[in-house]
Each structure stands twice: as C-alpha cells, then as structure tokens.
Amino acid sequence: MTGPHPSDAGNLHEPPQAVYGEARWPMAGAVVTAAVLTLLLPDDLRLGPRWALPLVEGLLLVVLIAGDPGRISRRSATLRAASIALVGVLACGAIWSTFQLVDDLVHGGSETNSADALLQAGGSVWASTVLAFSLLYFELDSGGAAARAHCMPPTPALAFPQHLSPELNATHWRPRYIDYLYLGFTNATAFSPTDVMPLAPWAKIAMAVQSAVSLLILGLVIARAVNVLV
C-alpha cells in the first residue's frame, strides 16, 4: 500500500478555490428595462409585434433564473445557450430599431416631424443599444459570468483597470454587470475605449459596431431635432 506522493503533500492542504458568484438581479433588471423600452417604441421602429421581443426575452430570463437563481455560478451548456440567445435577441432588436430610425430620418417617418417624439424615440433606441451591448460584453467576456465566478483567465477579452494595474492588488477581483454597463455607456458616448481595453478580436468588433450605431443615432437624431425646432 502506497501513501501520497511527497509532491502532492502541499495540495492536500490547499483550500478549494473560492467561487465569486455575482447576484442575478442587476442583469435581470437590465433585461426587464430593455423589454420596457421595446414596448415604448413606435410600431415602425420595433422588430415584430409589440409583445414578441419582450415575451421571448422574458421567457429566456425565466429559464436563466430558474436554472441558476440567486447568484450566477452554475456552469451549464443549456444555461449558456439561453444566455447567448437572450443577448442575441436584445442585440438584434436594438440594431433593427437603429436602422429603422435612420431610415425614418432619411425618408421621413411619423416621429420625425415632432422634436419631442423624435427625441423620445431616439433616446429609447439609444438606451436599448447601451443595454444590449453591455449584456453582450457581460456574457461573452471570459466565458460569461458563471465561468468568471470560478476562474478568471490569464488574459481576459476585456481588460479593466484592475487587470492593467498590478498595484491595485486585485487578484480576486471579478468584473460585475455594473462594470459592463459602464463600458457600454462610455463606449456609446465617447465612441472609443475609455478605461477598458478590448483585447480579443470579437471585443474590438463589438465595440466598433456599438460606437458606429451610437454615432448614427446621436448624430442624426440631434441634427433632425434641431432642424425641426428651427
């Protein structure tokens, strides 16, 4: 009968790796807010019937909450697929609304004749894109929230200041949804990275697309609103 190998002696006393699961409610709140914004959009700016996207988003959110309630820490292929599907629905809806709004601005739509209606519609579309892209970053960075709860990769797709500054001593730090929401907001207003650097190709493409979409919305909506007021 043989005992443990001497080289394994240290491993016998190593505590299990801590799980840094994030609360579910910030992400869920963002999805609910995006669904409400969809309901407030004019009919010609919405992808499908008024109830279609909010219903799909709500069902996918229920699946995620039922499968991993409380804190996001369960690694499951089914839940991962549901998360990506939810992000895909949100992103497609936001980008569709953006192009429909641009088309209305170019060719003249019902909401483009009133500055108040235009600013309301444009603000809803812009906020929807911020939420959609923040959830996209949240879900795709480092394998998603559940994967990040267990282990952070040596090189994340999105490098936050805590990753870039060793003096912060953020060994156990994990980005939360609020960090990705801040990223989505600043990228949509500055049209470029601020304090978060995209390292992976998909992150660079996603941030470039969001910047272009935001520039279209803000530039055209503000210009048209000023023209209507004048």
Side-chain angles (χ1 to χ4, degrees):
M1 183 173 180
T2 60
H5 193 276
S7 62
D8 297 332
N11 295 333
L12 296 176
H13 303 287
E14 287 183 1
Q17 188 173 14
V19 177
Y20 299 88
E22 177 178 2
R24 172 71 70 181
W25 69 263
M27 170 267 182
V31 174
V32 172
T33 303
V36 171
L37 289 172
T38 300
L39 292 172
L40 296 176
L41 286 175
D43 291 339
D44 56 343
L45 298 184
R46 196 183 306 108
L47 178 60
R50 179 181 295 271
W51 52 266
L53 285 182
L55 177 61
V56 174
E57 292 160 4
L59 290 175
L60 290 171
L61 181 59
V62 168
V63 170
L64 293 175
I65 294 175
D68 191 16
R71 293 190 171 273
I72 308 174
S73 59
R74 181 184 174 190
R75 290 181 286 191
S76 163
T78 301
L79 294 178
R80 176 74 170 152
S83 298
I84 293 176
L86 176 57
V87 170
V89 171
L90 289 164
C92 287
I95 293 175
W96 171 272
S97 297
T98 298
F99 285 117
Q100 288 300 111
L101 178 61
V102 171
D103 183 72
D104 282 359
L105 288 168
V106 173
H107 298 99
S110 58
E111 70 280 348
T112 63
N113 297 320
S114 167
D116 290 341
L118 178 59
L119 290 174
Q120 180 179 352
S124 296
V125 173
W126 183 82
S128 296
T129 63
V130 171
L131 291 172
F133 276 92
S134 69
L135 288 165
L136 184 146
Y137 303 138
F138 173 79
E139 184 55 44
L140 296 186
D141 183 30
S142 304
R148 291 192 300 271
H150 292 268
C151 179
M152 284 294 293
T155 304
L158 293 164
F160 288 84
Q162 288 85 346
H163 298 138
L164 300 173
S165 303
E167 64 272 13
L168 294 178
N169 193 27
T171 306
H172 302 296
W173 182 82
R174 300 288 191 276
R176 306 296 186 181
Y177 174 68
I178 185 62
D179 299 297
Y180 296 101
L181 179 60
Y182 178 76
L183 167 61
F185 178 81
T186 55
N187 193 51
T189 51
F191 312 123
S192 64
T194 53
D195 64 335
V196 182
M197 295 295 106
L199 303 182
W202 73 259
K204 297 178 181 180
I205 294 171
M207 291 183 70
V209 170
Q210 187 194 6
S211 295
V213 167
S214 182
L215 182 60
L216 276 175
I217 297 172
L218 295 180
L220 292 178
V221 168
I222 293 173
R224 178 60 180 172
V226 170
N227 186 56
V228 171
L229 289 173
V230 174

